[in-house]
Amino acid sequence: MFGVDLRQVVAGILTLTMFVMLIHMIKRDHFDPVQDKLPGVTDEVSYESGKLDGTHIRKNLGLYKGDADELKACWVKPSDIGEQSEGYVTFSLTNGPEYHISQIADAVIVARSLGATLVIPDIRGSQPGDKRNFEDIYDLDVFMKSMEGVVFVVKNLPDHISTKNIAVVKVPNRVTEDYIATHVEPIYSLELQPEIRDLVDSMVERLKTLSRKTDGQFIAVDLRVEMLDKKGCRPDNDGEKSCYNAQEIAVFLRKIGFNKDTTIYVTESRWDSSLDSLKDLFPKTYTKEAIMPADKKTKFLDSQDSELEKVIDFYISSQSDVFVPAISGLLYANVAGKRIGAGKTQILVPADIQDSSASASNFLSPYVSKKNHFAYSCYC
């Protein structure tokens, strides 16, 4: 199908964590596992005196401060697409929105390198048969416009193209970060389709309304019970942990100065008894089920569609005033990247604080404090 030697594809592209199936789809188990550690968590912090009941905790820690001006994008689109082959690159988005960004980037760089046309992907959920169209979640028109001058894009594979005798190419990790930062990640655009965007906006507004005592500011905590059960949340040989349970998060937040009036959004979809310890210290703790408009629950919550729920979590976590990743992984990394670009840099990495109180600034994510997140390379 392609007028190129596939050996040149593998040798020349050597990119990114996905299988490119030329005239085919990607399967979800072809991706490398994510790092399991929350970076930057140490026991070497400066503590201040205080009591857990909040009586003597320092009142003005600037807990919601940290938002900076939005960074200015400093990339330039490629000047032209270049010579085209007669080939097409097809793939699927899998594993949730925290993976979709890199998967799109992967496919774009492969299609551009081959001179191939990119076919709009479908979206696969975690359950067999869980499949939906790209435009069910993202704004198709915005995405296709953002690809102008980068790669040719079509919504569907042409009818005359056979899906039999496909060529499957494994493209390992990765070209170069400089190339990706300059030519791929900055120029594609994933925007929510209007219905989901309006839903996320309404849930964010609901959280702000519930946060009147904190001037409309709220915390988003990525805390999913099923993930915690899988990880175990036990310290490694160095004493570091890759996740924290609800009780540990509650104590962490109180010790760094958040009081009982703080509004917290957790990414667990429905209430679980394991969250009770968090609600004991922070009564205004909510899941999607509690703040989603009633007329939207059937479609977005009761359908058991985990993909839609992940999308909601990703975007609410990106818009909250403070983000706390109770679980390490790609959601944390990509939410951090989106927040950095928007100037929302108050990302606090939890830890077991031995003293009775501590300064929140000691737990600022190293993605921000050390500016070591890849997003910083895309902005001036």
Side-chain angles (χ1 to χ4, degrees):
M1 179 70 64
F2 286 94
V4 295
D5 186 337
L6 291 183
R7 291 172 298 180
Q8 294 176 343
V9 175
V10 177
I13 299 175
L14 288 180
T15 180
L16 314 143
T17 321
M18 70 189 300
F19 277 89
V20 175
M21 299 189 174
L22 309 182
I23 324 305
H24 197 46
M25 298 293 178
I26 289 180
K27 295 181 180 178
R28 66 177 288 121
D29 58 354
H30 290 160
F31 292 88
D32 293 330
V34 184
Q35 285 284 344
D36 280 338
K37 299 233 181 176
L38 284 170
V41 178
T42 70
D43 292 327
E44 297 178 67
V45 293
S46 299
Y47 302 120
E48 300 180 34
S49 61
K51 294 183 179 179
L52 185 57
D53 63 8
T55 304
H56 298 291
I57 293 178
R58 183 156 56 93
K59 298 295 184 183
N60 184 18
L61 289 173
L63 295 171
Y64 295 101
K65 304 300 181 184
D67 284 10
D69 293 335
E70 287 195 37
L71 298 177
K72 178 183 177 182
C74 52
W75 55 78
V76 178
K77 275 191 176 184
S79 57
D80 60 75
I81 293 179
E83 184 178 354
Q84 284 295 105
S85 73
E86 295 181 358
Y88 294 82
V89 172
T90 70
F91 66 110
S92 292
L93 300 179
T94 62
N95 295 341
E98 64 269 32
Y99 288 85
H100 294 175
I101 293 173
S102 60
Q103 289 165 4
I104 288 283
D106 299 352
V108 168
I109 200 172
V110 171
R112 183 173 172 84
S113 298
L114 293 174
T117 297
L118 185 71
V119 181
I120 293 294
D122 62 5
I123 299 174
R124 305 290 180 95
S126 57
Q127 302 300 320
D130 185 0
K131 177 181 174 181
R132 61 180 57 252
N133 296 324
F134 181 90
E135 59 267 31
D136 290 339
I137 292 180
Y138 299 113
D139 192 313
L140 178 60
D141 292 336
V142 170
F143 174 71
M144 294 188 73
K145 185 173 179 60
S146 73
M147 290 290 97
E148 292 177 359
V150 183
V151 291
F152 287 117
V153 181
V154 294
K155 185 175 180 181
N156 299 301
L157 202 61
D159 293 337
H160 69 277
I161 299 294
S162 173
T163 58
K164 297 179 180 179
N165 301 319
I166 60 172
V168 181
V169 182
K170 182 177 181 180
V171 235
N173 187 32
R174 63 172 48 179
V175 173
T176 67
E177 290 189 347
D178 288 341
Y179 186 92
I180 297 168
T182 303
H183 299 292
V184 183
E185 290 188 342
I187 52 183
Y188 70 85
S189 176
L190 282 182
E191 296 291 339
L192 294 178
Q193 57 101 320
E195 184 182 10
I196 299 180
R197 183 175 64 245
D198 291 345
L199 173 60
V200 170
D201 289 346
S202 70
M203 294 173 71
V204 169
E205 286 304 312
R206 174 66 175 153
L207 288 164
K208 290 181 177 180
T209 300
L210 293 166
S211 308
R212 287 187 294 268
K213 291 187 177 180
T214 55
D215 295 326
Q217 296 175 310
F218 69 94
I219 302 173
V221 178
D222 179 29
L223 197 161
R224 291 160 282 159
V225 175
E226 181 181 1
M227 290 293 293
L228 294 177
D229 290 342
K230 288 180 180 179
K231 286 180 173 286
C233 299
R234 289 181 293 272
D236 61 15
N237 293 333
D238 297 324
E240 296 182 343
K241 297 175 65 173
S242 63
C243 58
Y244 292 82
N245 62 35
Q247 182 176 4
E248 292 168 326
I249 292 294
V251 172
F252 169 73
L253 291 174
R254 285 300 296 269
K255 285 189 174 184
I256 62 173
F258 289 100
N259 62 36
K260 65 180 180 61
D261 292 322
T262 301
T263 299
I264 297 176
Y265 171 81
V266 292
T267 55
E268 179 69 22
S269 292
R270 293 173 175 81
W271 195 259
D272 186 273
S273 59
S274 65
L275 300 175
D276 290 347
S277 55
L278 179 58
K279 199 174 186 69
D280 287 343
L281 288 183
F282 298 96
K284 298 167 72 173
T285 297
Y286 304 98
T287 62
K288 281 184 284 296
E289 185 178 36
I291 62 170
M292 184 178 291
D295 62 337
K296 299 295 184 182
K297 288 183 180 180
T298 299
K299 180 174 183 178
F300 293 98
L301 198 58
D302 297 339
S303 66
Q304 303 295 314
D305 191 330
S306 61
E307 205 70 16
L308 288 175
E309 294 177 13
K310 289 177 182 178
V311 169
I312 292 168
D313 289 335
F314 181 85
Y315 283 90
I316 292 181
S317 297
S318 299
Q319 294 182 41
S320 63
D321 298 282
V322 178
F323 175 57
V324 178
I327 305 166
S328 69
L330 201 56
L331 180 68
Y332 163 39
N334 279 342
V335 167
K338 194 167 183 66
R339 292 180 67 95
I340 288 167
K344 288 184 166 293
T345 55
Q346 195 70 338
I347 306 169
L348 303 177
V349 177
D352 292 322
I353 301 174
Q354 300 303 314
D355 233 338
S356 58
S357 67
S359 171
S361 62
N362 288 323
F363 304 96
L364 190 65
S365 169
Y367 283 148
V368 175
S369 62
K370 297 181 180 179
K371 287 185 167 49
N372 63 8
H373 194 284
F374 189 48
Y376 282 106
S377 67
C378 297
Y379 297 95
C380 300

